[in-house]
Amino acid sequence: MGIITNLTRMWLTRSAKPFIFQNEYDQKLPFVECDHLGLYVHIPFCESICHFCPYCKVKYEKELCDRYIDALLQEIHLAGSQQEGRKTATSLYFGGGTPALAAGRLKEIIDALQEHFIIIEGIGVELHPDNVTPAVLRILKDAGVTKISIGIQSFQEKFQSVLGRERVDMVSLREALSEVPFETVSMDFIFALPEQTFADLRGDIDTAFQMGANHVAIYPFIDFTFTSSNVKVMPKKEKRALLDEITCYCMKKGYARSSIWTFSSEKEAKYSSMTRDHFLGFGCSATTLLKEQFKINTFSVEEYCKRIDEGKLPTSLTIRFSLRQRMVYYLFWTAYSTKVDGAAFEKFFGVPLERVYGWELKIAKALGFLTEENGVYQMTLKGAFYYHYYENFYTLAYIDKMWGIMREEAFPKEIVL
């Protein structure tokens, strides 16, 4: 796995130099001149820990959660006060963990961010199905939330048991969503589960739209080495057939495709915290991507709070990009939307995309991975699958290693990828 990602990295960066994350950071972050800036806030608390989930999370305790939120507010002001006035931000997303466990304090966090940023494309919050009640939804809406994403994973009991999840109360879910509407109601599902069929996945998607969703996300199951999951990985051939079938089904239904695995019944319904040119992350494990650097906060709640109490940013590791490395990051995450605009690339880097990667684009078109029209490169079904397939390699070779180390060490000295 590492061989494939390393060879790809060396070819695309035209260098044998690895990605080197070091235990250093800038106390003052150069985000003021960054266009298309997104915001992300991580709330790491859960009532119970799902064995398949790789994200940074801890068991919920009210006292610890309140202490964490207090530190989070300080981090927001530490970073936000580095500029004069308010910076325009595209959007704000809350992830976790289970952000709704801190629903009563989300307005404080949003208000703190709005002291420093003007959020123009809405505010999204991830929810566990158990959180989708009229009372919780009203709190979120009153706080300014416009989008919600519900982690269903599957409506079917056979897969709920595989994932260690409880049955979804579909009547209560539908009633709550009907009583308290949002601009975007997204539902997340996992695909490539053992013996999962097209009919299984199609049933989940159809049910989601019937329940009140106007957006669905179909994320592939990835077997991280540090989780306790015993779910078997679906073979490549079956996975590709399943992804192609469900993609074709959604397209035939007239659903808009906004990324590799997201579809919406209303074109304006969008939910993605990933496709941003730049973003600022707040909270444990949150990441920040700027023009020349990428940083990640400590995974330790305790050490996060201590660092903030010292008046310092809670950064654990930082990579400072070479130009080619930044181009690779840009293309990898932009391609998540299934297309890359050559004009946008040139505006960002000051050089035409074809001059930098013209040979690779020709090969990709010849292999049937891409089509091109007026400088916009669009993934085919084949290209989308292989993007997903490569992302799986990338995740297990890079993210799995980094997160595995950071779960054990609050501030590692260095990680070489």
Side-chain angles (χ1 to χ4, degrees):
M1 235 171 269
I3 293 175
I4 293 174
T5 47
N6 286 340
L7 289 175
T8 305
R9 184 203 69 237
M10 287 189 283
W11 176 260
L12 293 178
T13 62
R14 306 296 196 264
S15 169
K17 182 182 177 181
F19 293 128
I20 302 174
F21 290 80
Q22 296 180 313
N23 187 355
E24 62 175 26
Y25 67 98
D26 296 329
Q27 181 70 8
K28 185 172 183 179
L29 297 173
F31 65 85
V32 175
E33 302 304 318
C34 291
D35 295 328
H36 303 108
L37 180 73
L39 305 174
Y40 174 78
V41 174
H42 192 77
I43 308 293
F45 301 98
C46 291
E47 291 280 15
S48 60
I49 305 298
C50 295
H51 60 73
F52 63 88
C53 176
Y55 298 106
C56 174
K57 71 274 185 188
V58 295
K59 206 74 179 291
Y60 174 75
E61 296 175 14
K62 187 179 186 308
E63 184 177 345
L64 180 61
C65 182
D66 282 335
R67 182 184 174 207
Y68 175 83
I69 300 297
D70 291 342
L72 182 62
L73 294 169
Q74 292 181 61
E75 183 191 8
I76 290 167
H77 292 307
L78 275 173
S81 62
Q82 296 173 11
Q83 62 175 339
E84 292 184 10
R86 298 164 72 202
K87 166 78 176 169
T88 297
T90 56
S91 54
L92 164 61
Y93 288 94
F94 287 85
T98 310
L101 292 174
R105 300 199 66 185
L106 291 192
K107 190 174 189 306
E108 285 181 69
I109 300 170
I110 292 169
D111 287 348
L113 285 163
Q114 288 181 328
E115 287 184 36
H116 308 288
F117 302 95
I118 302 169
I119 302 164
I120 60 174
E121 293 179 14
I123 300 171
V125 175
E126 294 178 2
L127 297 172
H128 187 282
D130 291 347
N131 306 139
V132 185
T133 66
V136 170
L137 295 183
R138 286 193 194 95
I139 291 171
L140 298 180
K141 195 155 190 175
D142 290 345
V145 173
T146 58
K147 312 175 187 184
I148 58 173
S149 174
I150 308 166
I152 301 293
Q153 318 312 349
S154 178
F155 281 118
Q156 300 172 59
E157 290 187 25
K158 61 182 176 180
F159 296 121
Q160 290 167 352
S161 61
V162 166
L163 296 170
R165 298 291 292 265
E166 298 294 326
R167 184 179 65 86
V168 176
D169 185 339
M170 296 172 68
V171 173
S172 296
L173 183 70
R174 189 202 305 267
E175 289 177 351
L177 293 175
S178 176
E179 188 172 330
V180 188
F182 289 84
E183 291 176 14
T184 297
V185 176
S186 182
M187 293 188 185
D188 289 357
F189 299 94
I190 296 179
F191 89 89
L193 293 170
E195 300 182 11
Q196 189 179 40
T197 66
F198 166 64
D200 292 327
L201 199 50
R202 180 186 61 194
D204 278 341
I205 291 171
D206 288 345
T207 300
F209 287 123
Q210 291 164 10
M211 296 286 291
N214 56 9
H215 182 279
V216 295
I218 314 159
Y219 296 114
F221 172 76
I222 298 178
D223 187 20
F224 287 85
T225 60
F226 52 78
T227 65
S228 58
S229 172
N230 57 5
V231 178
K232 293 181 180 179
V233 176
M234 180 177 283
K236 172 186 173 183
K237 186 176 181 180
E238 293 177 34
K239 188 185 290 187
R240 179 176 179 183
L242 183 58
L243 182 60
D244 284 355
E245 281 186 294
I246 203 63
T247 299
C248 289
Y249 174 73
C250 288
M251 300 295 279
K252 286 178 182 177
K253 295 281 284 187
Y255 301 147
R257 189 182 196 181
S258 54
S259 77
I260 294 293
W261 34 71
T262 60
F263 301 90
S264 58
S265 59
E266 300 169 9
K267 193 169 183 179
E268 64 275 10
K270 296 180 180 179
Y271 197 102
S272 174
S273 60
M274 300 175 70
T275 50
R276 302 284 179 272
D277 287 351
H278 308 94
F279 49 83
L280 289 174
F282 302 96
C284 281
S285 78
T287 57
T288 289
L289 175 65
L290 303 176
K291 187 67 179 283
E292 297 178 350
Q293 64 175 274
F294 178 89
K295 77 182 193 76
I296 183 167
N297 285 351
T298 179
F299 275 48
S300 167
V301 172
E302 187 63 33
E303 293 301 322
Y304 171 85
C305 293
K306 284 183 181 179
R307 180 70 79 85
I308 294 295
D309 287 344
E310 295 170 358
K312 301 176 182 176
L313 293 179
T315 307
S316 179
L317 293 166
T318 300
I319 180 173
R320 301 188 186 280
F321 295 117
S322 68
L323 179 59
R324 284 276 186 168
Q325 286 177 335
R326 185 62 176 91
M327 288 177 174
V328 170
Y329 261 71
Y330 176 95
L331 290 173
F332 185 81
W333 292 114
T334 301
Y336 178 82
S337 70
T338 74
K339 63 184 178 182
V340 174
D341 186 336
F345 180 94
E346 184 171 357
K347 181 179 180 182
F348 193 96
F349 292 104
V351 59
L353 174 61
E354 291 78 7
R355 185 186 301 172
V356 183
Y357 291 115
W359 189 83
E360 289 85 351
L361 292 168
K362 287 180 182 178
I363 294 295
K365 288 198 300 185
L367 291 174
F369 295 155
L370 297 173
T371 60
E372 184 265 333
E373 185 175 351
N374 299 322
V376 177
Y377 293 87
Q378 180 76 47
M379 284 185 192
T380 61
L381 281 178
K382 182 180 179 181
F385 172 76
Y386 278 99
Y387 173 92
H388 149 70
Y389 195 62
Y390 183 82
E391 198 226 3
N392 189 78
F393 279 107
Y394 165 83
T395 298
L396 291 177
Y398 289 170
I399 296 178
D400 183 276
K401 178 180 178 180
M402 174 177 279
W403 288 3
I405 291 171
M406 296 186 72
R407 285 159 59 93
E408 303 298 327
E409 299 179 57
F411 300 101
K413 183 178 179 181
E414 180 181 271
I415 296 180
V416 178
L417 301 175

